[in-house]
Amino acid sequence: NAGVMQNPRHLVRRRGQEARLRCSPMKGHSHVYWYRQLPEEGLKFMVYLQKENIIDESGMPKERFSAEFPKEGPSILRIQQVVRGDSAAYFCASSEQGAGNEQFFGPGTRLTVL
Amino acid sequence: DAKTTQPNSMESNEEEPVHLPCNHSTISGTDYIHWYRQLPSQGPEYVIHGLTSNVNNRMASLAIAEDRKSSTLILHRATLRDAAVYYCILRSTTSGTYKYIFGTGTRLKVLA
């Protein structure tokens, strides 16, 4: 039973380019969460999605960031026109349901903006 | 959102018990207390969670204060593999969202 998969594991982009981070939840999980971790800091919630729906995007920056979780395929976190401050580790987690179920985290994507 | 406060770092000798404290004085009645740990360059790993009662599993025990304003993660016999950053997390359930609110974490060092 594969865990949460994220790819790529490492991503290097130049300022102004787009970054696409993918997350495949555990089998049977329909809830996906994205978190961002800056160096030496804890994880910060970004967005919570169910299939085809954004449930809570209170942690998403207002511009350049978007997320989706289509009916088929992985969840995508998209960052347009990246800046150096976007350099961080981005973690995806999934859960079977919302309440009462722990979240299982993927290994993360480490984004470096040059 | 309610916040958690943890010591920045702690040390323990191998084979000895470790008590990792967490303060969450503004916790709401519906917030669950979760503990995760994170090894270098890895995603957080679930350890344990609870609401009001103390909890035990194969990895650890969770002691929750009666007023729920603090909790303690107990590792009964620390091993070198337990060296990690331990996060005390409140899982908010207000407004139908189940996001985790991470604290700054405690870096546990285990001495051989």
Side-chain angles (χ1 to χ4, degrees):
Chain A
N1 183 16
V4 178
M5 310 281 282
Q6 289 189 250
N7 67 82
R9 293 293 307 278
H10 299 274
L11 182 62
V12 179
R13 285 286 177 267
R14 297 191 181 280
R15 281 179 296 170
Q17 291 184 320
E18 178 179 287
R20 281 187 180 234
L21 288 62
R22 295 175 190 78
C23 168
S24 296
M26 287 181 68
K27 187 176 180 181
H29 286 193
S30 58
H31 297 244
V32 166
Y33 314 78
W34 285 93
Y35 295 84
R36 176 165 64 176
Q37 185 174 35
L38 296 172
E40 304 302 318
E41 293 188 13
L43 282 73
K44 296 286 194 297
F45 168 80
M46 299 181 74
V47 63
Y48 162 42
L49 311 103
Q50 295 178 27
K51 285 283 188 182
E52 301 184 278
N53 287 306
I54 296 175
I55 307 302
D56 180 357
E57 55 182 347
S58 59
M60 287 280 269
K62 293 289 185 284
E63 299 177 346
R64 302 187 298 107
F65 284 72
S66 62
E68 63 176 10
F69 188 17
K71 188 177 179 181
E72 301 290 337
S75 175
I76 306 285
L77 179 67
R78 182 182 178 205
I79 311 173
Q80 295 178 289
Q81 299 176 321
V82 296
V83 301
R84 287 219 174 104
D86 297 332
S87 295
Y90 292 83
F91 291 96
C92 165
S94 72
S95 68
E96 191 173 11
Q97 298 176 27
N101 292 88
E102 71 262 28
Q103 297 175 17
F104 294 84
F105 283 81
T109 293
R110 277 148 188 86
L111 172 65
T112 301
V113 179
L114 301 177
Chain B
D1 291 332
K3 299 284 193 288
T4 62
T5 304
Q6 300 175 252
N8 286 335
S9 63
M10 291 183 66
E11 281 189 4
S12 172
N13 293 319
E14 202 176 8
E15 303 293 317
E16 290 187 356
V18 182
H19 290 233
L20 298 166
C22 180
N23 287 321
H24 29 78
S25 58
T26 58
I27 191 171
S28 74
T30 56
D31 286 346
Y32 280 76
I33 302 158
H34 286 239
W35 283 82
Y36 278 71
R37 68 183 186 184
Q38 187 177 25
L39 277 65
S41 301
Q42 294 188 26
E45 174 190 27
Y46 170 81
V47 177
I48 200 166
H49 79 281
L51 183 62
T52 56
S53 303
N54 294 344
V55 184
N56 299 295
N57 66 21
R58 63 174 180 81
M59 289 183 72
S61 295
L62 176 60
I64 301 173
E66 197 169 334
D67 63 6
R68 298 208 332 125
K69 292 184 185 298
S70 66
S71 60
T72 301
L73 178 70
I74 303 164
L75 305 179
H76 297 288
R77 289 178 63 200
T79 69
L80 295 178
R81 290 186 298 174
D82 291 324
V85 178
Y86 285 78
Y87 291 102
C88 170
I89 298 163
L90 299 183
R91 196 197 71 209
S92 169
T93 59
T94 56
S95 304
T97 183
Y98 308 114
K99 62 187 178 186
Y100 281 169
I101 303 167
F102 280 77
T104 53
T106 296
R107 185 175 299 277
L108 176 65
K109 187 175 181 180
V110 180
L111 306 174

